[in-house]
Amino acid sequence: MSFSKPISTSKLLSFVSLVASNAIVATAQQPTRQGTANTFKVVGHSGVSAQQMFLGRPNKVYIVDKVENNPIQVNGHPAWAVEYDLDDDTIRPLDIVTNSFCAGGGVTGDGTWVNLGGNQAVTWGGNSADSQTGQTAPYMSWDGGKAIRFLTPCDDKTCNWVDDPNRYMTTRRWYPTLENLPDGSLFVLGGNQWGGFVNDAGQNNPTYEFYPSRGDPVGLNILATTLPANLFPFTFLLPGGNIFIQTNWGAEVFDYQNNVENPYPTIPHAVRTYPASGGNMMLPLTPDNNYQATILFCGGSDLEPDQWTQDWDIASYPADATCVTITPDVSTDWQDDDGIGQGRTMGNMIGLPDLKVLLINGGNTGVAGYGNVTWARGHSFADNPIRTPMIYDPTASKGSRWSATGLPASDVNRMYHSGALLLPDGSVFIAGSNPNPDYIVGEGIAYPWEDRTEIFFPWYYDKRRPEPQGLPTSVVYGGPYFNVSLSATDLENKASNIKNTKAVIIRTGFSTHAFNMGQRVLQLQTSYTVAEDGSATLHVSPLPRNANVFPPGPAMLFITVNGVPSLAQWITVGSGKVETQAILAEVALPDSYIPPDQDTGSGGSGGSGSGGSNAATTRTEVSRGLWTSAVVLSAVIFGASLL
């Protein structure tokens, strides 16, 4: 990459300030919630069903439901949004004026969460309201089809959703997808206008646009040719700068900057998008895979376009059990991966800090959705809940990547409109499930409205956590490395464990309909220096010099030792603004060093530089540290360019 563009004085001052703030550190401790590894625990009630949710602050989950007769009230009507406090498992009702039913969501580079689209105002049973402007009791909702809602999360319980008609879209979107872009803006695509089980040509919205707006929506051919099961299309910003889109059986790499669609072969075996709702996520980006994006898809349904009708018992139809991967920047070829053993629809994939993937929730038969048909299970179009999670290890040999060994079964069915989120303590928050048109509970209901919140505690949860010192509050693209201190206790009193110590950044995304929009997991490049007393300094490079690899915005930074994560440090990736991100020159890491008498075992590399370096050279490099890298930084900034 060339360094032809000088950074302006204002940007120079901004980045000097940013690097200074990088030096503000926090001390990670141990989890405050009691939990036993490999167990589920019901911890509270969300008050609304968690159709959509995201982690907005380290201790705050924001939950958004569709308009329905939830038992909690706000401003004289049932609430369909809450702020959930993880510290004490309490809720604060929030007022969303418009119907957020099946909206999409994402976070911009400045930390603002966007909830976009929805459906018309409704009354009892999800029926269309006489008034679309908030005049029909009991819900008093407004039409949400064009709505854009905004929330800046807070710690003091004062933030609320902003729903301003002056900032709405010009087109209706129900079931749209949002994808993060390298400048901190959002790519918005797809959906339909008025709803229904699947999409159709009469109400399809085969277009894309941006938030903040860059002009009128633009047509996208893949959304016009993949009916009917093409709602909530899957999108992944690739390191190469394009967007991989997968919907129904179709796939392509889309050059959104030049509006060029590059068709790829159809996805094998099954439909993964809604309502088939297969699990999916981009696998961790690491130094070992050269930060190349491989995307994993599992489960769904093999229904063909003419089978998405409601005149037969879909709820009895077996879900798919296959898994496939693709690395779109490298090849157009799909690869068969290990299957998941039993078919699963609505399985939610969550990236963990040990660089494995959790598959949770869902059912063994049928598909997502609900309706008033004789064959539905109550109203649900799916049946036979799967309560036992699975773990996928992308580094394991083929044939042994999926495992459920030692994993428990939950006591709660998590079907349509459920979700999951990784938390800063490494546990997983699970909520939702309501395959019904309204708030429906009581005896004999197959799958009732569900508001119990639940935590899954992974294998590492009750182990002593590393307590790294020197974690930054922001991480940029390129530039000087930072130093993290680890005690001998953090390394389990075995210095060679530093070889299997990693720095991992995770954005857990916007969870809805069995996938997390914008979810991303990335391992940073590291090297290390071990002291004579068995403590160590982990030298951590910032993000790669490419904002496509991990777009700007809030995220969590974990330090893991043998896969056991510290409590996450809440960080800002990039400048904290929606703007072209500065790309700084790379500063080489010191060579790794461990005293020979302490090098008692091998460990996996943390993406480190070469080991066995001269100790004196290493210590000279270490002593410079982050604080004294200002001289290097000045040279970097004056020579850096912007993407």
Side-chain angles (χ1 to χ4, degrees), residues 45 50 172 204 229 253 364 374 385 401 424 427 430 439 466 471 506 595:
H45 294 268
R172 302 183 64 85
N204 189 19
V253 167
N364 180 232
T374 57
R401 290 174 182 162
S427 65
I430 307 148
Y439 170 81
L471 296 176
I506 297 180

Side-chain angles (χ1 to χ4, degrees), residues 12 21 27 112 169 175 190 194 199 222 228 296 299 346 439 463-464 473 492 495 613 622 624-625 640:
L12 169 60
S21 72
T27 301
T112 300
M169 298 178 289
Y175 291 92
W194 301 106
N199 204 356
I222 191 173
L296 173 68
M346 299 177 288
Y439 170 81
K463 296 183 179 296
R464 185 200 179 272
T473 57
E492 303 171 8
S613 63
V622 172
R624 287 156 63 183

Side-chain angles (χ1 to χ4, degrees), residues 72-147:
I72 61 170
Q73 295 277 314
V74 62
N75 293 337
H77 63 81
W80 53 93
V82 299
E83 177 188 78
Y84 188 99
D85 192 321
L86 294 165
D87 290 339
D88 56 12
D89 298 301
T90 59
I91 59 173
R92 177 172 67 96
L94 302 177
D95 194 6
I96 290 185
V97 176
T98 52
N99 188 358
S100 48
F101 186 14
C102 295
V107 64
T108 58
D110 63 1
T112 300
W113 283 87
V114 177
N115 184 268
L116 182 149
N119 206 3
Q120 59 194 312
V122 297
T123 184
W124 303 103
N127 295 310
S128 180
D130 292 336
S131 168
Q132 292 295 305
T133 56
Q135 305 303 311
T136 302
Y139 306 144
M140 316 303 287
S141 66
W142 291 58
D143 184 358
K146 297 181 180 180

